[in-house]
Structure formats: C-alpha cells, structure tokens
Amino acid sequence: MNSTLKLTHICRTFGKNNTKVEVLKDINLQIKTGEIVALVGPSGSGKSTLLHIAGLLDTPTSGMIEIMGQNATKMNDKGRTQLRMKSIGFVYQSHLLLPDFNALENVMMPQLIAGVRENQAKEHAKELLKQVGLSHRLTHRAGQLSGGEQQRVAIARALANNPALLLADEPTGNLDPKTADEVFDTFMKIVRQTGLSALLATHNPELAQKMDRRISVVDGKIQELT
C-alpha cells in the first residue's frame, strides 16, 4: 500500500541560542492510502506544529516531507503552494469560513482559486454540501449557521479540490458533545467513502478510538498507541 504522507527525521526548533526550544525531535511517520490516524496528546505537545509541517504550512528545521511520493522539502514556495492546493485539505477547530459569503460560495472558493470554471465549481460545491447534509443551507452565510453546520461547511470546503490527504486540528473541539459526534461521524463517513488519508488531532479519546491508528507526540517524538 502506498503512503500518502511520509515524514522522515523531521525536527522543528523555535527560537535561538538560550531561548531555543526543540518542539519536534526526529519525527518519522507514514500514513498509508485510505488510512485514518488520530494524533493525540496534551496542548503544547507539538500536535499543531506537526500538522502544519505535514500540510506544508510550516518548514521543518531538518528532515524530509513527502506528499504522494513527491519530495516537498526540495520545492520552492510556489511548488509547495501548488502541491498543498491540489493534494491537501484542512479542517481547523474554528471553521474560518468567509463571513461575507454563503455556504455554497465558501466551498466554491478553493476551486475558483485553483482555476476551476465557475459552473463546474458550483455543481461540485452543491454535491459536497449535499454529502454533509446541508443542501437546504446553501445560501446561508456563516453567521446564520449553527456551530455544527459551520464545521460541516468547513469539511466540504476542505474536500473541494479532491485532496489525497485531509488534515484536521481539533475539528470538533468547539462543539457540544452531541454535535461533535454528529460532525465527526460525517467526517469519517466521507473520508471512508472517498478513500482519503487523514491525520486528525483530537483531545477526545472516544473519537480517537474510532480511527485506524493512534499516535501521540511525547517529548517531541512519535509514539504509537495501542
């Protein structure tokens, strides 16, 4: 089985000299095609840093990042941006929807930026919003949606460019338990149906247990959890 994401000897250090903090130390991680991996651990352990490096939003101090077999470490900024746009989707704890646009327009936006024709982007956005159960909320802006609905739109937006890898940072962290379960179930169903690979950071042990594999960042290093 091929790897969608491969991190080799990743280190990430912040600060200089006496203020230097080594957040990630020799991280090695592979996520196979179609595999859903939970990333658990306390706040400040480096989970978000690891996600940002995996998503090409941050550059490691040393080590290699491979996405779909492509060595992103050797790419320039333009190359990394193109790879991120085509191959990676993000879902954050806060939905980060554009407030002046409705649900449909928010899901169309990544596609339009990638050069997809407007009518094609619109049909694909409608289909994605249908998959997350929001066909009846297409013309509602973010402020008119509940927290769970906002996160469903955010999931649809993350899938807009048909990524191979989905990264999620506490995507249900701001929701009440019942809504969190519903949003998570939607997330898992879509990931399974599309055969995506996913790395999801969560504090919730029950959600983590539902995934294929659980890992933790402890003292800057990856630990596999049983």
Side-chain angles (χ1 to χ4, degrees), residues 27 29 55 65 69 109 133 149 205 225:
I27 294 283
L29 174 65
I65 308 162
M109 196 63 66
E149 288 171 338
L225 303 176

Side-chain angles (χ1 to χ4, degrees), residues 19-163:
T19 61
K20 191 179 290 186
V21 178
E22 198 174 14
V23 177
L24 301 178
K25 308 170 187 176
D26 198 32
I27 294 283
N28 293 286
L29 174 65
Q30 285 193 60
I31 298 181
K32 297 173 182 176
T33 304
E35 187 178 32
I36 303 175
V37 178
L39 176 60
V40 301
S43 296
S45 61
K47 298 194 304 295
S48 293
T49 301
L50 180 59
L51 281 175
H52 288 162
I53 286 174
L56 310 181
L57 294 171
D58 189 16
T59 304
T61 306
S62 60
M64 183 170 69
I65 308 162
E66 292 175 84
I67 308 285
M68 301 294 289
Q70 297 184 68
N71 186 348
T73 322
K74 292 184 177 180
M75 294 179 179
N76 58 22
D77 286 344
K78 184 178 180 181
R80 282 194 295 271
T81 299
Q82 288 293 321
L83 182 57
R84 185 168 61 242
M85 188 186 303
K86 291 178 180 177
S87 300
I88 304 172
F90 292 90
V91 185
Y92 298 96
Q93 182 170 350
S94 177
H95 58 80
L96 300 180
L97 299 178
L98 299 168
D100 294 333
F101 295 90
N102 62 33
L104 185 64
E105 291 163 340
N106 266 281
V107 181
M108 287 173 63
M109 196 63 66
Q111 301 176 73
L112 297 175
I113 291 170
V116 176
R117 293 197 308 272
E118 185 174 350
N119 61 340
Q120 189 178 340
K122 190 172 187 177
E123 289 308 309
H124 186 44
K126 282 182 178 178
E127 179 56 34
L128 288 170
L129 288 165
K130 180 181 177 181
Q131 286 182 34
V132 298
L134 290 179
S135 291
H136 61 301
R137 305 289 267 171
L138 300 182
T139 59
H140 290 72
R141 293 187 181 185
Q144 298 171 305
L145 301 171
S146 68
E149 288 171 338
Q150 290 169 346
Q151 281 301 77
R152 287 170 187 266
V153 176
I155 291 168
R157 180 184 58 187
L159 296 167
N161 285 335
N162 301 310

Side-chain angles (χ1 to χ4, degrees), residues 136-211:
H136 61 301
R137 305 289 267 171
L138 300 182
T139 59
H140 290 72
R141 293 187 181 185
Q144 298 171 305
L145 301 171
S146 68
E149 288 171 338
Q150 290 169 346
Q151 281 301 77
R152 287 170 187 266
V153 176
I155 291 168
R157 180 184 58 187
L159 296 167
N161 285 335
N162 301 310
L165 174 66
L166 197 58
L167 301 173
D169 195 355
E170 298 285 354
T172 61
N174 285 340
L175 306 175
D176 65 81
K178 182 175 183 294
T179 306
D181 283 343
E182 291 171 355
V183 170
F184 180 78
D185 287 345
T186 299
F187 178 94
M188 290 290 284
K189 181 181 178 183
I190 290 175
V191 172
R192 292 287 187 212
Q193 284 177 344
T194 52
L196 281 168
S197 303
L199 177 62
L200 189 150
T202 180
H203 280 109
N204 189 323
E206 291 180 4
L207 296 187
Q209 289 285 358
K210 295 179 181 180
M211 295 182 234

